[in-house]
């Protein structure tokens, strides 16, 4: 189980290697994503709180990267944080997520990206539920829900 100490370590000393890499040009990403998905995932955008389609859904399944379909989070570790974005306490596996120090907007945070294709997902914070204490605050527009039994 990852902890805040692990997250900081990855953001400072480097991330675990992904199982595979997917790289496309900006034009290739634009051709397969909606304008909103492109803004969020390729330009590090954020959706308006409580506006995302996946915010209040708790169906059984996996939450995959909208860009490359890599599984990032599982429904069993999703929780209602009250923040207005889907929240998770752990990634589906240690090397699914990439951690990047983010000093934008006058604060220091840890950005999370898909480790396969570098798609911006959101941020992680140390105020989640036990036992990990992590809250992955993720944009709905950066994910697609693969309902259980539809693999």
């Amino acid at each position: 189980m990852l902890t805040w100490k692990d997250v900081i370590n990855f953001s400072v000393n480097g991330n675990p290697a992904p199982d595979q890499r997917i790289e496309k040009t900006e034009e290739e990403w634009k051709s397969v994503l909606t304008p909103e998905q492109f803004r969020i995932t390729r330009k590090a955008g954020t959706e308006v709180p409580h506006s995302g389609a996946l915010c209040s859904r708790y169906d059984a399944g996996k939450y995959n990267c909208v860009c490359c379909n890599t599984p990032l989070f599982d429904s069993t570790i999703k929780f209602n944080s009250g923040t207005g974005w889907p929240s998770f306490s752990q990634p589906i596996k240690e090397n699914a997520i990439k951690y990047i120090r983010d000093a934008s907007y006058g604060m220091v945070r840890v950005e999370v990206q898909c480790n396969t294709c570098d798609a911006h997902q959101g941020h992680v914070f140390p105020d989640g539920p036990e036992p990990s204490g992590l809250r992955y605050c993720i944009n709905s527009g950066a994910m697609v829900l693969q309902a259980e039994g539809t693999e």
Side-chain angles (χ1 to χ4, degrees):
M1 173 177 304
L2 293 173
T3 65
W4 185 244
K5 183 178 176 180
D6 298 318
V7 167
I8 295 302
N9 183 50
F10 288 143
S11 72
V12 172
N13 298 315
N15 290 286
D19 292 340
Q20 65 174 335
R21 287 286 303 156
I22 294 175
E23 296 183 23
K24 296 183 180 186
T25 66
E26 188 167 297
E27 289 307 313
E28 288 172 317
W29 287 123
K30 281 183 180 179
S31 74
V32 296
L33 300 171
T34 68
E36 180 69 352
Q37 290 167 336
F38 182 82
R39 182 186 72 79
I40 291 168
T41 62
R42 309 322 301 180
K43 299 298 182 184
T46 301
E47 62 199 8
V48 174
H50 304 284
S51 69
L54 300 176
C55 191
S56 59
R57 286 192 61 186
Y58 292 90
D59 312 58
K62 292 181 177 63
Y63 290 82
N64 298 348
C65 175
V66 74
C67 294
C68 68
N69 208 38
T70 297
L72 301 177
F73 300 99
D74 188 272
S75 61
T76 60
I77 45 87
K78 186 175 186 206
F79 67 97
N80 183 356
S81 66
T83 61
W85 291 278
S87 297
F88 303 87
S89 59
Q90 286 285 301
I92 204 162
K93 56 195 277 192
E94 184 175 286
N95 69 344
I97 296 292
K98 176 188 284 189
Y99 302 90
I100 299 167
R101 184 179 183 274
D102 176 4
S104 63
Y105 302 106
M107 62 183 117
V108 177
R109 304 179 290 175
V110 177
E111 176 188 2
V112 291
Q113 294 182 353
C114 171
N115 204 16
T116 299
C117 72
D118 301 337
H120 173 76
Q121 298 293 312
H123 291 84
V124 61
F125 302 95
D127 61 2
E130 293 300 328
S132 74
L134 298 176
R135 175 175 55 94
Y136 289 79
C137 189
I138 308 298
N139 290 287
S140 284
M143 299 182 297
V144 60
L145 175 59
Q146 180 183 340
E148 199 168 271
T150 61
E151 284 122 42

